[in-house]
Amino acid sequence: MLSFGSLNINAKDLSLEASSNSSKNSFFEFFKKKNRQHIHIVGSSTVYPFSATIAENFGYQNFYKTPIVEATGTGGGFKIFCSGIGFDYPDLVNASRRIQKSEISKCQENGISVGEIKIGYDGIVLANSIQGIDYNLTLEEIFLALASQVPDQKNPLRLIANPYQKWSDINSKLSNQKIIVYGPPPTSGTRDSFSELVMEKTCLKIPAFIKNYPDEKIRAKKCHLIRSDGIFIEAGENDNLIVQKLKNNPIALGIFGFSFLEENRQLIKASKINNFIASQDNIISGSYQISRPLFIYFKKEHLDLIFAMRQFISEIISNNTLGFEGYLLQKGLIPLTDLELKNVRDEAEINLKN
């Protein structure tokens, strides 16, 4: 017991009070550190330019902190996004394909309810340097150039390791230049879409694949396999790297989104696919066959957890963003139809009201 005049203080009480204050300080410091004030977005490198543009406009016009956007690839983005709820986990994920059942299950396991916003469309292009030759390829020719296995020309029902080294090996009317294609890794949504829209679509009906893989699900997986002998080169999630590779190697082709082509037309040009050029009109009409929808997904649990989340969702679906004169169209996004846009807004507004 300590005595100061008429004031008596118990040392044990003092110790407990100090300990209590220390715990309180630690408690508040923990939440101060964890309670971030910015929105965090991960995912597709294809959707990244659109999402980053929305983030910049949101931060500038509304005086909120500009959301942080990272290009992790669609698959990698979903893996992080679905890992949990709270300040340590991203709030939104960009995707160049629709979320898969396995990813929905992973989110549900961690208590996450997912909201979907389709923002528009994009084409997938095979492009080369403006210094290179002009290509006009069919889906089958692209498949035969890149597939791990192809039908044996001597025995069409037999599958063999891909022997083709030059485009002219596939079709004598094509260039005799060596086949070199730079493309995205398996974690990329562009790779997923390319595998589905080009590889699988072509391969499922090839007699040799039907004979060797009668189960359609197994056949589809085999159709997705890309050769690993150096003809196809994975160039990571950075599309700028692919453009530099094409600039330095005029005979090579690269796979990426139409919007990225639009930004780099001074350096690269797209191949025609089945006689159709990659253009906004041809993608909308379906004449250009390699196209897919683009999405942004959000955590419903974060709508009230993260500051300005509701306002950011409203910015995404606004007429200023996705409308026919919206700023994303200036970045190369292919717009939704009027009905699609109405459905997207109706669904998002229901989520925002709940």
Side-chain angles (χ1 to χ4, degrees):
M1 176 79 71
L2 302 176
S3 298
F4 296 91
S6 62
L7 180 63
N8 295 321
I9 301 175
N10 190 301
K12 182 179 179 181
D13 292 339
L14 184 64
S15 174
L16 287 173
E17 184 177 355
S19 175
S20 176
N21 286 336
S22 176
S23 297
K24 287 180 181 177
N25 289 337
S26 298
F27 178 83
F28 287 119
E29 282 299 316
F30 174 81
F31 277 96
K32 183 178 179 183
K33 183 166 55 176
K34 292 291 181 179
N35 186 12
R36 58 179 163 84
Q37 295 296 305
H38 64 269
I39 292 168
H40 184 197
I41 308 167
V42 295
S44 165
S45 60
T46 298
V47 184
Y48 172 86
F50 304 126
S51 188
T53 299
I54 300 171
E56 289 168 9
N57 277 271
F58 184 71
Y60 176 75
Q61 295 177 5
N62 297 291
F63 304 102
Y64 295 120
K65 285 193 174 182
T66 301
I68 293 175
V69 188
E70 295 181 84
T72 62
T74 297
F78 276 123
K79 184 176 181 180
I80 305 167
F81 176 81
C82 291
S83 293
I85 297 169
F87 300 116
D88 288 334
Y89 304 99
D91 314 304
L92 303 98
V93 58
N94 300 322
S96 54
R97 57 163 172 78
R98 181 164 261 122
I99 187 170
Q100 297 173 350
K101 289 182 180 179
S102 60
E103 291 160 343
I104 294 174
S105 296
K106 180 66 175 177
C107 276
Q108 290 175 340
E109 286 174 12
N110 289 309
I112 298 167
S113 303
V114 180
E116 177 184 278
I117 302 173
K118 183 196 286 188
I119 64 169
Y121 291 90
D122 186 36
I124 298 176
V125 300
L126 275 79
N128 64 320
S129 167
I130 56 173
Q131 305 299 325
I133 65 172
D134 295 333
Y135 283 92
N136 186 359
L137 301 169
T138 66
L139 296 182
E140 184 177 6
E141 287 164 351
I142 298 169
F143 172 80
L144 292 175
L146 298 180
S148 177
Q149 290 183 304
V150 296
D152 186 351
Q153 289 184 342
K154 297 178 181 179
N155 181 2
L157 291 179
R158 177 172 172 256
L159 291 173
I160 60 172
N162 196 329
Y164 301 125
Q165 297 296 311
K166 299 178 180 179
W167 290 102
S168 55
D169 294 339
I170 298 168
N171 182 344
S172 60
K173 294 180 180 179
L174 295 176
S175 162
N176 65 351
Q177 290 183 340
K178 181 177 173 62
I179 302 169
I180 302 175
V181 179
Y182 292 96
T187 54
S188 165
T190 298
R191 172 75 167 264
D192 289 337
S193 296
F194 180 82
S195 296
E196 180 182 341
L197 296 170
V198 178
M199 306 298 286
E200 181 180 327
K201 183 178 180 180
T202 303
C203 168
L204 282 179
K205 59 190 178 185
I206 294 177
F209 278 87
I210 295 173
K211 178 180 180 295
N212 286 275
Y213 307 109
D215 185 300
E216 191 168 317
K217 288 185 178 180
I218 295 175
R219 193 188 322 149
K221 289 182 179 180
K222 296 296 183 180
C223 291
H224 286 202
L225 296 178
I226 295 201
R227 63 195 301 178
S228 57
D229 57 355
I231 295 291
F232 178 83
I233 304 165
E234 289 183 6
E237 296 285 356
N238 187 346
D239 290 337
N240 284 300
L241 178 61
I242 297 181
V243 171
Q244 289 303 313
K245 296 286 187 183
L246 300 183
K247 182 181 176 182
N248 296 331
N249 188 352
I251 72 169
L253 287 166
I255 301 170
F256 39 74
F258 172 76
S259 58
F260 202 78
L261 169 73
E262 289 289 274
E263 294 177 6
N264 292 277
R265 284 197 180 273
Q266 75 279 12
L267 297 173
I268 54 178
K269 58 185 177 181
S271 307
K272 285 183 179 180
I273 304 297
N274 292 343
N275 297 316
F276 286 96
I277 62 170
S279 69
Q280 186 173 113
D281 289 343
N282 286 340
I283 291 171
I284 292 173
S285 70
S287 301
Y288 185 83
Q289 295 179 290
I290 317 176
S291 62
R292 60 346 188 356
L294 303 179
F295 301 90
I296 297 176
Y297 291 90
F298 63 93
K299 285 177 186 165
K300 296 179 183 180
E301 292 75 16
H302 281 204
L303 288 175
D304 293 317
L305 179 68
I306 305 299
F307 179 68
M309 263 288 285
R310 290 179 181 274
Q311 292 87 340
F312 187 67
I313 300 299
S314 295
E315 174 70 17
I316 295 173
I317 64 172
S318 72
N319 195 54
N320 189 43
T321 305
L322 294 185
F324 280 99
E325 295 184 2
Y327 55 76
L328 288 192
L329 271 64
Q330 310 305 317
K331 296 287 291 184
L333 182 69
I334 310 299
L336 300 169
T337 65
D338 287 339
L339 180 59
E340 285 178 312
L341 186 54
K342 180 182 182 303
N343 291 337
V344 165
R345 285 175 174 157
D346 288 348
E347 181 66 25
E349 285 167 3
I350 290 171
N351 285 319
L352 291 176
K353 288 177 182 177
N354 292 336

